[in-house]
Amino acid sequence: MKRSILPFEKERILKDEVLEHIKWYQDRVKEGYELLENGQKSEAREKLREINKQLEKENHHY
C-alpha cells in the first residue's frame, strides 16, 4: 500500500489505489485466518491489531 490514508477530500483517487487498499485488508485478514487455523493465536492477534490500527487511522482521518 503506497499511502495509508487516501485523501478523498483533497484529490481524485484512482480506482486502482482504492483496490490496492481493499486488497491490503483482504490479505491481512487471510493471513490472520490462516494463522488462527494453524493454532498461532498470538500471531493472528497481531495481524488483527495491524488491521485495527489502520482502521483507526482511516476513521480518525475521515
Side-chain angles (χ1 to χ4, degrees):
M1 186 163 54
K2 294 174 189 161
R3 298 191 278 185
S4 65
I5 300 294
L6 299 177
F8 292 107
E9 75 284 0
K10 294 180 182 177
E11 62 185 84
R12 186 161 188 260
I13 305 300
L14 298 175
K15 179 181 174 181
D16 289 343
E17 195 165 5
V18 173
L19 292 175
E20 179 185 20
H21 264 68
I22 293 168
K23 182 160 176 23
W24 184 89
Y25 281 108
Q26 289 175 329
D27 290 347
R28 295 308 168 283
V29 169
K30 183 179 176 183
E31 290 168 8
Y33 188 70
E34 288 171 358
L35 288 167
L36 193 57
E37 283 186 325
N38 292 327
Q40 297 173 293
K41 292 180 182 179
S42 64
E43 291 86 352
R45 191 172 19 251
E46 287 303 314
K47 286 291 171 191
L48 292 174
R49 283 188 180 131
E50 185 180 355
I51 294 167
N52 192 44
K53 285 179 185 178
Q54 179 61 28
L55 286 170
E56 284 177 356
K57 277 188 205 177
E58 290 185 23
N59 184 49
H60 178 73
H61 179 80
Y62 301 127

